Amino acid sequence: MDLSSGPARPASRHWRFTGWLLAAVWLIFLNVPIITSLHQPQPWRRIVGVTALVAFGVGYVLLFQWARRLRQALRPIPARRARAALLLLLVVGLASIPGADGDWLATLVYVAAAGVFLLPAREAAATVAVCAVTPALASWLVPGWEAESTIVFAVLLASFAMFGVSRLAQRNSELQAAQQEIRRLAVAEERVRTARDLHDILGHSLTVVAIKAELAGRLIEVDTERAAVEVAEVEALARAALSDVRQTVGAYREVTLAAELAGARSALAAAGIAAELPAEVPALQDEWDRLFGWAVREGVTNVVRHSGARCCTIRVRSDQVEVSDDGRGPSTPDATGHGLVGLRERARQLDAVVSVGRRPDGTGFLLRVHAPAEAR
């Protein structure tokens, strides 16, 4: 599954249920205004009060879930829609007054909490202040409504709690975004690694195949037996390259220095280039053995493909490997190419250094990969 792009994954059924429960559980505190409405002597007041309070509770839960989904999707909450929804919630709460009388003030606790969750900081603070002052003003303006200090306390407490919930939701959204970016970068890095390995593997193998096919074409009229041998080797190399590609796609292809030296001997012989190879190689740690193997592969590929050399020399020590030739040398002082870029990336992982240039006598081509003393 490609995790590199696309919207955030939807929440599981468990978390969706938890979100609904988190919003709905606090509606228990609407029991006081609902009971007051149910005890009204006039039926129309009972109906209006209960209906308005039920609609208020449903609207509060839906509003909370709407904002929560936006946060989970890493999208901002539209300020205008949030203000309009909050105002509508307040109006529905006010509509319960015929049944709930002064107990409708309990709805202000939910309005304040929703304001903290939905609105920017300054607007949220203003909403909380208005909801906290309203009970005292209402008791002064409306005879029979007592000043409920518990409502003021509940408004402040609910607002503080919702502030913590909103900050937690914001941090969770940021963490989710960071995890999504990490997954995207991991996939991108894996794609680059696979593309680099495919280039290095096929670049070397196809170069040798092309040289051997060209040699077989020249020999087919003068030495059919030798041409048949070369064609058989082309077939074997093609099959080996296909196997390497399959291994690279399925997993990380294991490259060893010994195997690459053997392949270098065959490739250089097919290209008609004399080879000076080490009779034996020092014992190396696995990661350095792989790196030196990649260096030999890239260096020999460049010699066969570009150099026009007559002789190629490979030297291996415990801290470095060198591939040099007596050909035309690098076209630029700092030769680059996809293969060298990939080699430098591999070397960087081990703090090794890749040097490309001419040999000390000023001729030919020299590729050196060496490890600083502190890296060994």
Side-chain angles (χ1 to χ4, degrees):
M1 179 175 63
D2 189 355
L3 300 174
S4 62
S5 60
R9 291 177 293 176
S12 66
R13 181 179 302 178
H14 167 74
W15 284 111
R16 289 199 297 268
F17 174 76
T18 303
W20 282 96
L21 183 62
L22 182 64
V25 70
W26 301 106
L27 296 179
I28 188 67
F29 295 108
L30 287 178
N31 66 327
V32 173
I34 288 177
I35 292 173
T36 300
S37 298
L38 290 174
H39 285 82
Q40 292 293 343
Q42 296 93 341
W44 72 270
R45 295 182 67 180
R46 290 198 296 269
I47 294 172
V48 170
V50 172
T51 302
L53 290 169
V54 170
F56 180 89
V58 172
Y60 172 78
V61 172
L62 292 176
L63 187 59
F64 181 85
Q65 284 298 101
W66 170 67
R68 185 168 175 267
R69 281 197 299 270
L70 288 177
R71 289 181 182 273
Q72 287 179 336
L74 309 178
R75 293 163 54 192
I77 297 175
R80 289 186 178 180
R81 294 180 63 182
R83 295 189 197 103
L86 199 62
L87 180 60
L88 179 60
L89 190 67
L90 177 60
V91 169
V92 175
L94 289 170
S96 68
I97 291 177
D101 288 331
D103 289 334
W104 80 273
L105 293 170
T107 62
L108 294 176
V109 177
Y110 300 93
V111 173
V116 171
F117 196 71
L118 294 173
L119 300 177
R122 291 185 179 179
E123 296 182 34
T127 301
V128 172
V130 170
C131 291
V133 171
T134 298
L137 291 177
S139 64
W140 180 64
L141 294 174
V142 181
W145 288 6
E146 296 181 1
E148 290 286 348
S149 58
T150 55
I151 296 295
V152 177
F153 177 76
V155 165
L156 297 177
L157 182 61
S159 301
F160 181 77
M162 188 56 73
F163 176 79
V165 170
S166 62
R167 296 288 82 78
L168 178 62
Q170 180 179 349
R171 295 296 180 268
N172 286 340
S173 298
E174 293 172 353
L175 178 60
Q176 185 180 6
Q179 291 173 338
Q180 205 170 340
E181 180 66 10
I182 289 172
R183 289 195 296 269
R184 187 191 67 79
L185 292 175
V187 171
E189 183 177 355
E190 181 66 13
R191 287 173 175 170
V192 170
R193 183 191 66 81
T194 302
R196 180 189 65 200
D197 287 356
L198 286 174
H199 170 271
D200 293 349
I201 292 168
L202 290 179
H204 175 81
S205 300
L206 295 180
T207 297
V208 178
V209 165
I211 291 173
K212 284 185 171 291
E214 182 182 356
L215 177 59
R218 293 199 304 265
L219 293 173
I220 197 166
E221 295 182 357
V222 295
D223 190 345
T224 55
E225 291 185 2
R226 175 73 186 281
V229 171
E230 295 296 333
V231 169
E233 291 187 7
V234 166
E235 180 183 0
L237 283 169
R239 292 183 183 277
L242 179 59
S243 175
D244 288 345
V245 170
R246 287 171 175 168
Q247 292 179 36
T248 302
V249 172
Y252 195 91
R253 179 182 182 272
E254 192 70 17
V255 172
T256 63
L257 178 59
E260 295 305 323
L261 286 172
R265 186 184 302 276
S266 175
L268 292 169
I273 300 174
E276 295 182 12
L277 306 181
E280 50 184 49
V281 297
L284 300 169
Q285 297 179 6
D286 290 344
E287 61 270 21
W288 289 98
D289 188 84
R290 284 193 295 270
L291 176 61
F292 286 2
W294 281 113
V296 170
R297 173 180 279 264
E298 174 61 23
V300 171
T301 299
N302 286 335
V303 170
V304 171
R305 185 184 294 174
H306 306 299
S307 69
R310 292 172 297 175
C311 179
C312 173
T313 303
I314 301 176
R315 293 189 175 90
V316 180
R317 299 203 317 241
S318 61
D319 60 345
Q320 76 174 29
V321 60
E322 289 184 354
V323 180
S324 62
D325 64 58
D326 59 355
R328 63 178 63 95
S331 57
T332 60
D334 185 18
T336 59
H338 292 293
L340 288 174
V341 170
L343 182 61
R344 286 191 173 98
E345 290 176 356
R346 292 186 179 92
R348 194 177 301 119
Q349 295 175 358
L350 297 178
D351 293 329
V353 179
V354 177
S355 303
V356 177
R358 295 187 179 275
R359 298 189 301 183
D361 60 4
T363 64
F365 177 85
L366 172 66
L367 168 66
R368 178 187 293 123
V369 177
H370 68 280
E374 59 273 14
R376 295 291 295 176

